[in-house]
Amino acid sequence: MAQLKLLIDGRLEDGDLTMDVINPATEAVVMACPRASKAQLDKAVAAAKAAFPAWSRTLIAERKAVLGQIADVIQANAAELARLLTQEQGKPIADATGEVYGAAAFFRYFTMLDLPVKVIDDSEGRRVEAHRRPLGVIGAIVPWNFPLILMAFKVPAALLAGNTVVLKPAATTPLSTLRLGELIAQIVPPGVVNVIADANDLGGELTRHPDVRKVSFTGSTATGKKVMAGAADALKRITLELGGNDAAIVLDDVDPKTAAPKIFQGAFQNSGQVCIAVKRVYAHEKIYDALCDELAQLADAAVIGDGLEQGTQLGPLQNKMQYDKVKDLIEEARHDGKIIAGGVIPDQPGYFIRPTIVRDITDGARLVDEEQFGPVLPVIKFADPEDALARANNTPYGLGGSIWSSDLERAYALAERMESGTVWINKHSELAPNIPFGGAKESGIGVELGEEGLAEFTQLQVISMAR
Ligand code: NAD
């Protein structure tokens, strides 16, 4: 494949710089990749700014047509995009394919939304209307765990509302996003969507750029705080989708055999590199041993390997930094608890870690208190559900959480008091384009997806007329 290009002002161009993108399953270079300079970032923002007046005045039907065409082109090129995604990210090809089709579906979902004028008062003396106006240039910053689907949380909503976009994937996973840029170059008017890649050095520049009106950021809480600080001077709008430490509380009336596969999937999908993965399990003492055993069996049976190989269930960690961090957490967990599955680092190239279950561990251990973002799951015993809920809430994070019980009323009563943006009952990690998603506490500000997510790409303008 020829080297990928950046998309700036409707033109596909080389980066002023280049960088290598590593396949985390082999540690070999997938391909050299263009890397934008600060001057190219400025050019992309200038192009987005110049494209804004005309794009924001198009009829919403025209913008919907463009979103529909983007969805079509993603689907038509799904096999190629999925392969690139697996090569750069590490996830199994079936999951990558699901992510690509998911991204297309998210674009299609936004073609069904509108931004109607809301008439607040239409009386004899006055008429008051609320309009949703576009903001201008949006900086869209994406992490490395789900490059395409997280892009699709942002770009279609931003475009539908009449904004223009500068999109920046993570430094270690730019390839599928750049390829998407190439595929849409002929569909989207010049400057409306710009795609640049960096070596983790342009996110701050994009955030602080005076011509960017809003930053839609997904990534770690630490970086999210920098984004918020960078946006403060110009009072930019921000949406922050940040880290989490989701707890699953499993009550005493749960059948461990039935729940374990769902909890395992919720914890280990994408090798645990999911913002809304189950990151801590609180299991009632009555079912604790049985649940630990079931989870350990599933972990032992999981097939890890190169995502391009048939039968692979779990790929590698995406990058060396994350791999080293998770290895450290496992080493510490050996002392804080008892490893009953995994804990082994295979002696092979690639950032592989076998799925690991740690029991007899409790709050205060780093693996419980921090976001591991990898394939290692602590299982904590509790006697009183109220105590489990208090411990689940005792974290700066508040992204997701779940309650597991055969008594829905009982589960619901606990769910209502979970301090998180989403609470699932008898499931975990489910997302859909029509369901708004966002974090409580230090897991974020604002929401994406759904009508509420669309509204965040707009400025509310009231027109109030006397008559
Ligand atoms: P990260 O914060 O290191 O990087 C995310 C993005 O920010 C990358 O594109 C990076 O280049 C860019 N960036 C780096 N420095 C920046 C700066 N100073 N200003 C602006 N942008 C900058 O995150 P990561 O390690 O790539 O992703 C993992 C984290 O993302 C985890 O904490 C995970 O929970 C979180 N996450 C959250 C959600 C959510 O929706 N809440 C979804 C996925 C991942």
PDB file of all heavy atoms in Angstrom, residues 21-57:
ATOM      1  N   VAL A  21       4.553   3.323  12.544  1.00  0.00           N
ATOM      2  CA  VAL A  21       3.465   2.776  13.358  1.00  0.00           C
ATOM      3  C   VAL A  21       3.745   1.292  13.576  1.00  0.00           C
ATOM      4  O   VAL A  21       4.014   0.546  12.630  1.00  0.00           O
ATOM      5  CB  VAL A  21       2.093   2.990  12.675  1.00  0.00           C
ATOM      6  CG1 VAL A  21       0.987   2.299  13.445  1.00  0.00           C
ATOM      7  CG2 VAL A  21       1.808   4.488  12.563  1.00  0.00           C
ATOM      8  N   ILE A  22       3.720   0.892  14.842  1.00  0.00           N
ATOM      9  CA  ILE A  22       4.118  -0.468  15.226  1.00  0.00           C
ATOM     10  C   ILE A  22       2.888  -1.371  15.335  1.00  0.00           C
ATOM     11  O   ILE A  22       1.860  -0.964  15.884  1.00  0.00           O
ATOM     12  CB  ILE A  22       4.815  -0.426  16.615  1.00  0.00           C
ATOM     13  CG1 ILE A  22       6.002   0.546  16.610  1.00  0.00           C
ATOM     14  CG2 ILE A  22       5.238  -1.822  17.091  1.00  0.00           C
ATOM     15  CD1 ILE A  22       7.139   0.129  15.729  1.00  0.00           C
ATOM     16  N   ASN A  23       3.012  -2.596  14.843  1.00  0.00           N
ATOM     17  CA  ASN A  23       1.979  -3.604  15.075  1.00  0.00           C
ATOM     18  C   ASN A  23       2.232  -4.212  16.460  1.00  0.00           C
ATOM     19  O   ASN A  23       3.266  -4.842  16.676  1.00  0.00           O
ATOM     20  CB  ASN A  23       2.076  -4.678  13.988  1.00  0.00           C
ATOM     21  CG  ASN A  23       1.026  -5.762  14.156  1.00  0.00           C
ATOM     22  OD1 ASN A  23       0.509  -5.976  15.254  1.00  0.00           O
ATOM     23  ND2 ASN A  23       0.718  -6.443  13.061  1.00  0.00           N
ATOM     24  N   PRO A  24       1.303  -4.030  17.414  1.00  0.00           N
ATOM     25  CA  PRO A  24       1.578  -4.492  18.780  1.00  0.00           C
ATOM     26  C   PRO A  24       1.611  -6.013  18.916  1.00  0.00           C
ATOM     27  O   PRO A  24       2.085  -6.522  19.929  1.00  0.00           O
ATOM     28  CB  PRO A  24       0.421  -3.888  19.596  1.00  0.00           C
ATOM     29  CG  PRO A  24      -0.667  -3.656  18.615  1.00  0.00           C
ATOM     30  CD  PRO A  24      -0.010  -3.356  17.304  1.00  0.00           C
ATOM     31  N   ALA A  25       1.142  -6.729  17.888  1.00  0.00           N
ATOM     32  CA  ALA A  25       1.185  -8.191  17.948  1.00  0.00           C
ATOM     33  C   ALA A  25       2.545  -8.737  17.521  1.00  0.00           C
ATOM     34  O   ALA A  25       2.884  -9.878  17.835  1.00  0.00           O
ATOM     35  CB  ALA A  25       0.089  -8.781  17.062  1.00  0.00           C
ATOM     36  N   THR A  26       3.305  -7.938  16.776  1.00  0.00           N
ATOM     37  CA  THR A  26       4.580  -8.438  16.252  1.00  0.00           C
ATOM     38  C   THR A  26       5.752  -7.528  16.610  1.00  0.00           C
ATOM     39  O   THR A  26       6.909  -7.934  16.487  1.00  0.00           O
ATOM     40  CB  THR A  26       4.521  -8.522  14.711  1.00  0.00           C
ATOM     41  OG1 THR A  26       4.281  -7.200  14.215  1.00  0.00           O
ATOM     42  CG2 THR A  26       3.411  -9.450  14.234  1.00  0.00           C
ATOM     43  N   GLU A  27       5.461  -6.322  16.993  1.00  0.00           N
ATOM     44  CA  GLU A  27       6.453  -5.254  17.243  1.00  0.00           C
ATOM     45  C   GLU A  27       7.171  -4.844  15.952  1.00  0.00           C
ATOM     46  O   GLU A  27       8.178  -4.128  16.008  1.00  0.00           O
ATOM     47  CB  GLU A  27       7.451  -5.640  18.349  1.00  0.00           C
ATOM     48  CG  GLU A  27       6.774  -5.828  19.699  1.00  0.00           C
ATOM     49  CD  GLU A  27       7.738  -6.267  20.793  1.00  0.00           C
ATOM     50  OE1 GLU A  27       8.724  -5.577  21.043  1.00  0.00           O
ATOM     51  OE2 GLU A  27       7.468  -7.339  21.385  1.00  0.00           O
ATOM     52  N   ALA A  28       6.659  -5.287  14.813  1.00  0.00           N
ATOM     53  CA  ALA A  28       7.233  -4.859  13.532  1.00  0.00           C
ATOM     54  C   ALA A  28       6.518  -3.580  13.089  1.00  0.00           C
ATOM     55  O   ALA A  28       5.398  -3.296  13.515  1.00  0.00           O
ATOM     56  CB  ALA A  28       7.047  -5.949  12.486  1.00  0.00           C
ATOM     57  N   VAL A  29       7.175  -2.845  12.194  1.00  0.00           N
ATOM     58  CA  VAL A  29       6.565  -1.620  11.670  1.00  0.00           C
ATOM     59  C   VAL A  29       5.457  -2.006  10.680  1.00  0.00           C
ATOM     60  O   VAL A  29       5.688  -2.788   9.762  1.00  0.00           O
ATOM     61  CB  VAL A  29       7.639  -0.745  10.974  1.00  0.00           C
ATOM     62  CG1 VAL A  29       7.006   0.461  10.307  1.00  0.00           C
ATOM     63  CG2 VAL A  29       8.696  -0.315  11.986  1.00  0.00           C
ATOM     64  N   VAL A  30       4.248  -1.481  10.882  1.00  0.00           N
ATOM     65  CA  VAL A  30       3.166  -1.727   9.907  1.00  0.00           C
ATOM     66  C   VAL A  30       3.468  -0.924   8.658  1.00  0.00           C
ATOM     67  O   VAL A  30       3.456  -1.429   7.547  1.00  0.00           O
ATOM     68  CB  VAL A  30       1.785  -1.281  10.457  1.00  0.00           C
ATOM     69  CG1 VAL A  30       0.686  -1.595   9.445  1.00  0.00           C
ATOM     70  CG2 VAL A  30       1.492  -1.909  11.797  1.00  0.00           C
ATOM     71  N   MET A  31       3.708   0.340   8.854  1.00  0.00           N
ATOM     72  CA  MET A  31       4.115   1.207   7.746  1.00  0.00           C
ATOM     73  C   MET A  31       4.567   2.553   8.312  1.00  0.00           C
ATOM     74  O   MET A  31       4.220   2.900   9.445  1.00  0.00           O
ATOM     75  CB  MET A  31       2.992   1.406   6.733  1.00  0.00           C
ATOM     76  CG  MET A  31       1.771   2.109   7.267  1.00  0.00           C
ATOM     77  SD  MET A  31       0.546   2.420   5.969  1.00  0.00           S
ATOM     78  CE  MET A  31      -0.222   0.825   5.807  1.00  0.00           C
ATOM     79  N   ALA A  32       5.328   3.253   7.512  1.00  0.00           N
ATOM     80  CA  ALA A  32       5.659   4.631   7.888  1.00  0.00           C
ATOM     81  C   ALA A  32       4.415   5.471   7.636  1.00  0.00           C
ATOM     82  O   ALA A  32       3.621   5.171   6.743  1.00  0.00           O
ATOM     83  CB  ALA A  32       6.821   5.132   7.055  1.00  0.00           C
ATOM     84  N   CYS A  33       4.255   6.486   8.432  1.00  0.00           N
ATOM     85  CA  CYS A  33       2.992   7.209   8.425  1.00  0.00           C
ATOM     86  C   CYS A  33       3.286   8.701   8.408  1.00  0.00           C
ATOM     87  O   CYS A  33       4.255   9.155   9.032  1.00  0.00           O
ATOM     88  CB  CYS A  33       2.270   6.790   9.707  1.00  0.00           C
ATOM     89  SG  CYS A  33       0.925   7.814  10.213  1.00  0.00           S
ATOM     90  N   PRO A  34       2.480   9.488   7.703  1.00  0.00           N
ATOM     91  CA  PRO A  34       2.737  10.922   7.715  1.00  0.00           C
ATOM     92  C   PRO A  34       2.484  11.512   9.093  1.00  0.00           C
ATOM     93  O   PRO A  34       1.576  11.076   9.800  1.00  0.00           O
ATOM     94  CB  PRO A  34       1.725  11.469   6.711  1.00  0.00           C
ATOM     95  CG  PRO A  34       0.624  10.477   6.699  1.00  0.00           C
ATOM     96  CD  PRO A  34       1.269   9.143   6.943  1.00  0.00           C
ATOM     97  N   ARG A  35       3.285  12.487   9.439  1.00  0.00           N
ATOM     98  CA  ARG A  35       3.135  13.169  10.719  1.00  0.00           C
ATOM     99  C   ARG A  35       3.083  14.666  10.430  1.00  0.00           C
ATOM    100  O   ARG A  35       3.963  15.190   9.750  1.00  0.00           O
ATOM    101  CB  ARG A  35       4.333  12.796  11.610  1.00  0.00           C
ATOM    102  CG  ARG A  35       4.367  13.531  12.902  1.00  0.00           C
ATOM    103  CD  ARG A  35       5.626  13.158  13.694  1.00  0.00           C
ATOM    104  NE  ARG A  35       5.859  14.178  14.687  1.00  0.00           N
ATOM    105  CZ  ARG A  35       6.995  14.346  15.352  1.00  0.00           C
ATOM    106  NH1 ARG A  35       8.013  13.535  15.133  1.00  0.00           N
ATOM    107  NH2 ARG A  35       7.116  15.311  16.233  1.00  0.00           N
ATOM    108  N   ALA A  36       2.060  15.316  10.931  1.00  0.00           N
ATOM    109  CA  ALA A  36       1.884  16.738  10.620  1.00  0.00           C
ATOM    110  C   ALA A  36       2.832  17.598  11.436  1.00  0.00           C
ATOM    111  O   ALA A  36       3.129  17.295  12.593  1.00  0.00           O
ATOM    112  CB  ALA A  36       0.440  17.154  10.908  1.00  0.00           C
ATOM    113  N   SER A  37       3.283  18.674  10.831  1.00  0.00           N
ATOM    114  CA  SER A  37       4.034  19.704  11.561  1.00  0.00           C
ATOM    115  C   SER A  37       3.029  20.674  12.167  1.00  0.00           C
ATOM    116  O   SER A  37       1.832  20.648  11.841  1.00  0.00           O
ATOM    117  CB  SER A  37       4.938  20.455  10.586  1.00  0.00           C
ATOM    118  OG  SER A  37       4.122  21.087   9.603  1.00  0.00           O
ATOM    119  N   LYS A  38       3.523  21.564  13.008  1.00  0.00           N
ATOM    120  CA  LYS A  38       2.659  22.612  13.573  1.00  0.00           C
ATOM    121  C   LYS A  38       2.077  23.475  12.435  1.00  0.00           C
ATOM    122  O   LYS A  38       0.909  23.875  12.467  1.00  0.00           O
ATOM    123  CB  LYS A  38       3.493  23.452  14.559  1.00  0.00           C
ATOM    124  CG  LYS A  38       2.864  24.742  15.017  1.00  0.00           C
ATOM    125  CD  LYS A  38       1.738  24.514  16.002  1.00  0.00           C
ATOM    126  CE  LYS A  38       1.279  25.773  16.712  1.00  0.00           C
ATOM    127  NZ  LYS A  38       0.768  26.837  15.860  1.00  0.00           N
ATOM    128  N   ALA A  39       2.894  23.709  11.399  1.00  0.00           N
ATOM    129  CA  ALA A  39       2.407  24.507  10.268  1.00  0.00           C
ATOM    130  C   ALA A  39       1.246  23.798   9.566  1.00  0.00           C
ATOM    131  O   ALA A  39       0.273  24.444   9.136  1.00  0.00           O
ATOM    132  CB  ALA A  39       3.554  24.753   9.278  1.00  0.00           C
ATOM    133  N   GLN A  40       1.315  22.475   9.487  1.00  0.00           N
ATOM    134  CA  GLN A  40       0.204  21.732   8.851  1.00  0.00           C
ATOM    135  C   GLN A  40      -1.038  21.734   9.729  1.00  0.00           C
ATOM    136  O   GLN A  40      -2.155  21.773   9.225  1.00  0.00           O
ATOM    137  CB  GLN A  40       0.655  20.306   8.518  1.00  0.00           C
ATOM    138  CG  GLN A  40       1.604  20.285   7.315  1.00  0.00           C
ATOM    139  CD  GLN A  40       2.082  18.884   6.973  1.00  0.00           C
ATOM    140  OE1 GLN A  40       2.595  18.173   7.835  1.00  0.00           O
ATOM    141  NE2 GLN A  40       1.938  18.496   5.714  1.00  0.00           N
ATOM    142  N   LEU A  41      -0.835  21.687  11.028  1.00  0.00           N
ATOM    143  CA  LEU A  41      -1.983  21.824  11.929  1.00  0.00           C
ATOM    144  C   LEU A  41      -2.653  23.183  11.702  1.00  0.00           C
ATOM    145  O   LEU A  41      -3.879  23.280  11.570  1.00  0.00           O
ATOM    146  CB  LEU A  41      -1.535  21.681  13.392  1.00  0.00           C
ATOM    147  CG  LEU A  41      -2.565  22.156  14.425  1.00  0.00           C
ATOM    148  CD1 LEU A  41      -3.712  21.172  14.532  1.00  0.00           C
ATOM    149  CD2 LEU A  41      -1.932  22.367  15.787  1.00  0.00           C
ATOM    150  N   ASP A  42      -1.831  24.224  11.648  1.00  0.00           N
ATOM    151  CA  ASP A  42      -2.389  25.571  11.437  1.00  0.00           C
ATOM    152  C   ASP A  42      -3.141  25.645  10.113  1.00  0.00           C
ATOM    153  O   ASP A  42      -4.200  26.268  10.024  1.00  0.00           O
ATOM    154  CB  ASP A  42      -1.260  26.618  11.447  1.00  0.00           C
ATOM    155  CG  ASP A  42      -0.682  26.815  12.850  1.00  0.00           C
ATOM    156  OD1 ASP A  42      -1.352  26.441  13.827  1.00  0.00           O
ATOM    157  OD2 ASP A  42       0.448  27.328  12.951  1.00  0.00           O
ATOM    158  N   LYS A  43      -2.571  24.986   9.107  1.00  0.00           N
ATOM    159  CA  LYS A  43      -3.220  24.994   7.790  1.00  0.00           C
ATOM    160  C   LYS A  43      -4.573  24.272   7.861  1.00  0.00           C
ATOM    161  O   LYS A  43      -5.571  24.722   7.271  1.00  0.00           O
ATOM    162  CB  LYS A  43      -2.289  24.278   6.800  1.00  0.00           C
ATOM    163  CG  LYS A  43      -2.438  24.708   5.373  1.00  0.00           C
ATOM    164  CD  LYS A  43      -1.255  24.181   4.565  1.00  0.00           C
ATOM    165  CE  LYS A  43      -1.760  23.291   3.459  1.00  0.00           C
ATOM    166  NZ  LYS A  43      -0.723  22.604   2.711  1.00  0.00           N
ATOM    167  N   ALA A  44      -4.601  23.180   8.608  1.00  0.00           N
ATOM    168  CA  ALA A  44      -5.856  22.418   8.739  1.00  0.00           C
ATOM    169  C   ALA A  44      -6.913  23.253   9.471  1.00  0.00           C
ATOM    170  O   ALA A  44      -8.084  23.292   9.058  1.00  0.00           O
ATOM    171  CB  ALA A  44      -5.588  21.106   9.496  1.00  0.00           C
ATOM    172  N   VAL A  45      -6.499  23.948  10.518  1.00  0.00           N
ATOM    173  CA  VAL A  45      -7.469  24.780  11.251  1.00  0.00           C
ATOM    174  C   VAL A  45      -7.934  25.933  10.365  1.00  0.00           C
ATOM    175  O   VAL A  45      -9.140  26.256  10.323  1.00  0.00           O
ATOM    176  CB  VAL A  45      -6.868  25.309  12.578  1.00  0.00           C
ATOM    177  CG1 VAL A  45      -7.834  26.259  13.267  1.00  0.00           C
ATOM    178  CG2 VAL A  45      -6.506  24.151  13.510  1.00  0.00           C
ATOM    179  N   ALA A  46      -6.996  26.529   9.625  1.00  0.00           N
ATOM    180  CA  ALA A  46      -7.376  27.639   8.735  1.00  0.00           C
ATOM    181  C   ALA A  46      -8.364  27.158   7.675  1.00  0.00           C
ATOM    182  O   ALA A  46      -9.337  27.858   7.341  1.00  0.00           O
ATOM    183  CB  ALA A  46      -6.123  28.224   8.086  1.00  0.00           C
ATOM    184  N   ALA A  47      -8.128  25.944   7.157  1.00  0.00           N
ATOM    185  CA  ALA A  47      -9.037  25.400   6.138  1.00  0.00           C
ATOM    186  C   ALA A  47     -10.423  25.163   6.739  1.00  0.00           C
ATOM    187  O   ALA A  47     -11.455  25.462   6.116  1.00  0.00           O
ATOM    188  CB  ALA A  47      -8.469  24.092   5.589  1.00  0.00           C
ATOM    189  N   ALA A  48     -10.442  24.642   7.952  1.00  0.00           N
ATOM    190  CA  ALA A  48     -11.735  24.382   8.613  1.00  0.00           C
ATOM    191  C   ALA A  48     -12.463  25.694   8.891  1.00  0.00           C
ATOM    192  O   ALA A  48     -13.683  25.792   8.731  1.00  0.00           O
ATOM    193  CB  ALA A  48     -11.503  23.612   9.914  1.00  0.00           C
ATOM    194  N   LYS A  49     -11.698  26.707   9.255  1.00  0.00           N
ATOM    195  CA  LYS A  49     -12.297  28.014   9.529  1.00  0.00           C
ATOM    196  C   LYS A  49     -12.876  28.617   8.234  1.00  0.00           C
ATOM    197  O   LYS A  49     -13.981  29.161   8.218  1.00  0.00           O
ATOM    198  CB  LYS A  49     -11.237  28.949  10.119  1.00  0.00           C
ATOM    199  CG  LYS A  49     -11.798  30.260  10.601  1.00  0.00           C
ATOM    200  CD  LYS A  49     -10.700  31.168  11.122  1.00  0.00           C
ATOM    201  CE  LYS A  49     -11.283  32.500  11.583  1.00  0.00           C
ATOM    202  NZ  LYS A  49     -10.229  33.466  11.887  1.00  0.00           N
ATOM    203  N   ALA A  50     -12.109  28.491   7.162  1.00  0.00           N
ATOM    204  CA  ALA A  50     -12.564  29.058   5.890  1.00  0.00           C
ATOM    205  C   ALA A  50     -13.791  28.315   5.348  1.00  0.00           C
ATOM    206  O   ALA A  50     -14.660  28.907   4.693  1.00  0.00           O
ATOM    207  CB  ALA A  50     -11.423  29.001   4.868  1.00  0.00           C
ATOM    208  N   ALA A  51     -13.855  27.018   5.639  1.00  0.00           N
ATOM    209  CA  ALA A  51     -14.979  26.217   5.116  1.00  0.00           C
ATOM    210  C   ALA A  51     -16.248  26.415   5.937  1.00  0.00           C
ATOM    211  O   ALA A  51     -17.353  26.091   5.469  1.00  0.00           O
ATOM    212  CB  ALA A  51     -14.583  24.735   5.122  1.00  0.00           C
ATOM    213  N   PHE A  52     -16.098  26.917   7.140  1.00  0.00           N
ATOM    214  CA  PHE A  52     -17.239  26.981   8.064  1.00  0.00           C
ATOM    215  C   PHE A  52     -18.430  27.814   7.553  1.00  0.00           C
ATOM    216  O   PHE A  52     -19.576  27.337   7.596  1.00  0.00           O
ATOM    217  CB  PHE A  52     -16.781  27.468   9.448  1.00  0.00           C
ATOM    218  CG  PHE A  52     -17.910  27.651  10.410  1.00  0.00           C
ATOM    219  CD1 PHE A  52     -18.615  26.544  10.914  1.00  0.00           C
ATOM    220  CD2 PHE A  52     -18.319  28.923  10.804  1.00  0.00           C
ATOM    221  CE1 PHE A  52     -19.671  26.714  11.792  1.00  0.00           C
ATOM    222  CE2 PHE A  52     -19.379  29.095  11.678  1.00  0.00           C
ATOM    223  CZ  PHE A  52     -20.059  27.989  12.172  1.00  0.00           C
ATOM    224  N   PRO A  53     -18.218  29.047   7.060  1.00  0.00           N
ATOM    225  CA  PRO A  53     -19.407  29.849   6.707  1.00  0.00           C
ATOM    226  C   PRO A  53     -20.316  29.139   5.689  1.00  0.00           C
ATOM    227  O   PRO A  53     -21.535  29.070   5.890  1.00  0.00           O
ATOM    228  CB  PRO A  53     -18.805  31.134   6.134  1.00  0.00           C
ATOM    229  CG  PRO A  53     -17.440  31.221   6.743  1.00  0.00           C
ATOM    230  CD  PRO A  53     -16.973  29.798   6.888  1.00  0.00           C
ATOM    231  N   ALA A  54     -19.724  28.598   4.639  1.00  0.00           N
ATOM    232  CA  ALA A  54     -20.556  27.967   3.608  1.00  0.00           C
ATOM    233  C   ALA A  54     -21.192  26.678   4.133  1.00  0.00           C
ATOM    234  O   ALA A  54     -22.379  26.416   3.938  1.00  0.00           O
ATOM    235  CB  ALA A  54     -19.706  27.669   2.369  1.00  0.00           C
ATOM    236  N   TRP A  55     -20.382  25.870   4.835  1.00  0.00           N
ATOM    237  CA  TRP A  55     -20.904  24.586   5.331  1.00  0.00           C
ATOM    238  C   TRP A  55     -22.031  24.816   6.345  1.00  0.00           C
ATOM    239  O   TRP A  55     -23.056  24.136   6.329  1.00  0.00           O
ATOM    240  CB  TRP A  55     -19.761  23.787   5.966  1.00  0.00           C
ATOM    241  CG  TRP A  55     -20.177  22.479   6.580  1.00  0.00           C
ATOM    242  CD1 TRP A  55     -20.219  22.187   7.902  1.00  0.00           C
ATOM    243  CD2 TRP A  55     -20.614  21.297   5.904  1.00  0.00           C
ATOM    244  NE1 TRP A  55     -20.632  20.892   8.099  1.00  0.00           N
ATOM    245  CE2 TRP A  55     -20.892  20.316   6.880  1.00  0.00           C
ATOM    246  CE3 TRP A  55     -20.802  20.962   4.547  1.00  0.00           C
ATOM    247  CZ2 TRP A  55     -21.342  19.033   6.564  1.00  0.00           C
ATOM    248  CZ3 TRP A  55     -21.245  19.676   4.228  1.00  0.00           C
ATOM    249  CH2 TRP A  55     -21.505  18.736   5.231  1.00  0.00           C
ATOM    250  N   SER A  56     -21.862  25.811   7.206  1.00  0.00           N
ATOM    251  CA  SER A  56     -22.870  26.031   8.250  1.00  0.00           C
ATOM    252  C   SER A  56     -24.175  26.549   7.656  1.00  0.00           C
ATOM    253  O   SER A  56     -25.227  26.448   8.287  1.00  0.00           O
ATOM    254  CB  SER A  56     -22.337  27.016   9.301  1.00  0.00           C
ATOM    255  OG  SER A  56     -22.054  28.267   8.704  1.00  0.00           O
ATOM    256  N   ARG A  57     -24.091  27.102   6.427  1.00  0.00           N
ATOM    257  CA  ARG A  57     -25.324  27.605   5.795  1.00  0.00           C
ATOM    258  C   ARG A  57     -25.988  26.575   4.901  1.00  0.00           C
ATOM    259  O   ARG A  57     -27.060  26.835   4.348  1.00  0.00           O
ATOM    260  CB  ARG A  57     -25.008  28.874   4.993  1.00  0.00           C
ATOM    261  CG  ARG A  57     -24.895  30.127   5.877  1.00  0.00           C
ATOM    262  CD  ARG A  57     -24.995  31.394   5.040  1.00  0.00           C
ATOM    263  NE  ARG A  57     -23.899  31.481   4.074  1.00  0.00           N
ATOM    264  CZ  ARG A  57     -22.718  32.076   4.327  1.00  0.00           C
ATOM    265  NH1 ARG A  57     -22.499  32.630   5.488  1.00  0.00           N
ATOM    266  NH2 ARG A  57     -21.789  32.118   3.396  1.00  0.00           N
TER     267      ARG A  57
END
